[in-house]
Amino acid sequence: MSTEGARNAQLFERAQRVIPGGVNSPVRAFRAVGGTPRFIRRAEGAYMWDAEGRRYIDYIGSWGPMILGHGHPAVLEAVQKAARDGLSFGAPTEAEIELAEAIIRLVPGVEQIRLVSSGTEAGMSAIRLARGATGRSKIIKFEGCYHGHADALLVKAGSGLATFGHPTSAGVPPEVVQHTLVLEYNHLAQLEEAFATHGPALACVIIEPIAGNMNFVRASVPFMTRLRELCTQHGALLIFDEVMTGFRVALGGAQSLYVQAIPGFAPDMSVFGKVIGGGMPLAAFGGSKDVMSQLAPLGPVYQAGTLSGNPVATACGLATLKEIARPGFFDALSARTRALTDGLAGAARAAGVPLATDCEGGMFGFFFAPELPQNYGAVMATDKERFNRFFHAMLERGVYLAPALYEAGFVSAAHSAADIAATAAAAADALR
Ligand SMILES: *Cc1c(COP(=O)(O)O)cnc(C)c1O
């Protein structure tokens, strides 16, 4: 093997000496699928090039933010201009108001918003605010949903419904998750029982409306309808974690899809990240004026950040939102994503391989299973061996899919019809 040909392996080796596992976020290490992670040198449009000079069609898009593709000219220009004006001030700027106004305009359920630097921070702050605003401690989350790595959210279901969760990470004391109840996604009877038992103590329910951290699972309309009713009846706040789905499945996020099916629907609070930063560290949480006014400096719930509303990240987010708000953007993106899942499904049919696919806007999922799973257990029961072989076969053919069967995929505006066709052809070849 030439030196160039072994470059990813060499870098991985070197990285592991100074960075735990060689990566700064675990999924990048390819542990779920095995093999050597690709070290990326640069990216442009729908493509990334690794340290060996190999080109990949990128369906990760930095795990969601790169909805315009890499290096969109208007975004780069906005970032460069902002950087020249100053990297950080620790004082308010007009651009932060503009970004808040843009988000509020696009997501009708949000009246006020606060900017932070990561989805983890936004989710953690939203939970604290929900607890502060209601004066209650208990929270519900769903198995398979990820809301960042705040201690209280690193939890899996306990042995029974009446019991609270167990930590999923060392370093999280059981007491820290003793108020977190973990329920099965889309399980109506469990939801009813949880509210019947704990209703008056519940501060909030946090949910990924389309769960992208277990590949792609939609919360059913009956489930969401009942969840909204129960939260309202019991005075618990419904928090939509739209870090992945916000400005990705539709301009108004997943909540705009539920409004179509459930008249008057809105969550009480929303959490955003990924696309709103356009590739820079930026996230946000928002809700009604009533709830948001409980935050410092107005109210008793403390929350702060040295780099919150960073001017360069804010400029990047604003430029991104401006592009995706253009008429027809989501129609075109949805059609392209649908063409991809149709292509994958067609390749699987031809090869006689059971494959179920789903997509919304620029987000998609596929499962080696006869039908779409409705919860985490069903996702994890899909064919892992086949997924891992498919992942590597696609990577060898220059298609970079998420390296784990429980991760969603992303299409950007930069993916051309030719890229989609090439991907479908690679899939047909790989599945054969
Ligand atoms: C990515 C993600 C987060 C965490 O965001 P980070 O910026 O990685 O901290 C939270 N919730 C959901 C739904 C996500 O997809």
Side-chain angles (χ1 to χ4, degrees):
M1 204 184 269
S2 72
T3 319
E4 180 76 353
R7 187 94 181 115
N8 287 311
Q10 286 164 359
L11 288 173
F12 193 36
E13 172 79 33
R14 187 172 141 209
Q16 284 172 285
R17 273 181 242 136
V18 288
I19 300 170
V23 292
N24 283 313
S25 197
V27 74
R28 299 178 196 170
F30 277 21
R31 282 288 176 104
V33 292
T36 306
R38 304 306 192 258
F39 282 71
I40 302 304
R41 202 174 268 163
R42 68 179 205 92
E44 192 181 321
Y47 311 122
M48 297 199 295
W49 286 264
D50 73 6
E52 298 172 9
R54 293 203 48 187
R55 192 193 84 170
Y56 302 91
I57 305 176
D58 175 20
Y59 289 107
I60 301 185
S62 186
W63 300 94
M66 311 313 298
I67 195 166
L68 299 173
H70 297 279
H72 188 283
V75 175
L76 285 188
E77 195 186 311
V79 165
Q80 282 159 355
K81 178 176 184 313
R84 275 194 300 273
D85 289 342
L87 293 180
S88 184
F89 312 122
T93 63
E94 186 170 351
E96 290 163 80
I97 313 171
E98 284 173 27
L99 183 55
E101 286 170 348
I103 294 169
I104 288 163
R105 207 165 37 240
L106 297 172
V107 188
V110 175
E111 289 176 354
Q112 287 201 336
I113 193 132
R114 178 158 283 172
L115 303 181
V116 294
S117 301
S118 74
T120 292
E121 211 186 334
M124 178 187 81
S125 305
I127 300 263
R128 184 184 305 140
L129 178 55
R131 284 172 159 163
T134 58
R136 300 171 176 186
S137 299
K138 301 202 183 306
I139 63 176
I140 289 177
K141 84 172 280 288
F142 297 94
E143 196 178 17
C145 289
Y146 178 66
H147 307 293
H149 61 90
D151 284 356
L153 296 168
L154 291 179
V155 52
K156 63 173 185 267
S159 48
L161 182 61
T163 62
F164 284 80
H166 300 304
T168 52
S169 166
V172 178
E175 308 84 76
V176 172
V177 300
Q178 69 181 353
H179 297 300
T180 310
L181 190 58
V182 184
L183 304 183
E184 190 177 308
Y185 201 73
N186 278 327
H187 196 316
L188 258 173
Q190 265 196 12
L191 189 68
E192 298 283 358
E193 200 185 325
F195 268 93
T197 313
H198 302 289
L202 283 172
C204 64
V205 177
I206 187 165
I207 186 168
E208 280 185 80
I210 298 175
N213 288 285
M214 49 173 159
N215 197 326
F216 190 108
V217 184
R218 297 169 189 265
S220 76
V221 169
F223 185 76
M224 193 59 81
T225 304
R226 192 61 189 139
L227 176 57
R228 178 63 276 182
E229 287 169 2
L230 285 167
C231 284
T232 304
Q233 274 169 27
H234 290 86
L237 300 179
L238 176 56
I239 305 178
F240 259 34
D241 182 346
E242 297 231 44
V243 170
M244 191 181 289
T245 53
F247 313 100
R248 166 56 74 176
V249 299
L251 192 54
Q255 50 197 277
S256 70
L257 306 174
Y258 284 101
V259 180
Q260 291 164 24
I262 312 168
F265 180 88
D268 299 301
M269 293 178 66
S270 300
V271 182
F272 300 105
K274 298 193 168 114
V275 169
I276 59 163
M280 297 287 284
L282 193 143
F285 61 103
S288 67
K289 264 195 192 115
D290 226 30
V291 170
M292 295 303 284
S293 62
Q294 297 299 309
L295 272 183
L298 290 181
V301 180
Y302 191 68
Q303 188 278 330
T306 302
L307 296 177
S308 291
N310 173 270
V312 185
T314 300
C316 186
L318 262 174
T320 302
L321 290 194
K322 190 170 164 206
E323 293 303 316
I324 69 174
R326 292 186 194 281
F329 178 90
F330 272 92
D331 292 337
L333 183 65
S334 301
R336 196 118 299 171
T337 310
R338 174 72 59 193
L340 174 71
T341 53
D342 285 351
L344 293 176
R349 244 189 333 270
V353 172
L355 185 83
T357 66
D358 199 0
C359 64
E360 192 69 53
M363 176 172 161
F364 68 92
F366 65 90
F367 302 90
F368 287 105
E371 51 192 68
L372 291 170
Q374 295 303 306
N375 59 51
Y376 182 69
V379 170
M380 298 314 279
T382 63
D383 193 337
K384 177 164 178 270
E385 284 314 308
R386 189 167 249 160
F387 174 86
N388 290 355
R389 269 184 290 141
F390 181 67
F391 167 80
H392 281 293
M394 293 297 276
L395 197 63
E396 274 165 32
R397 287 163 180 78
V399 179
Y400 198 134
L401 298 166
L405 67 74
Y406 47 82
E407 302 285 1
F410 304 98
V411 173
S412 79
H415 286 78
S416 67
D419 294 325
I420 302 294
T423 305
D429 194 38
L431 289 168
R432 232 184 276 127

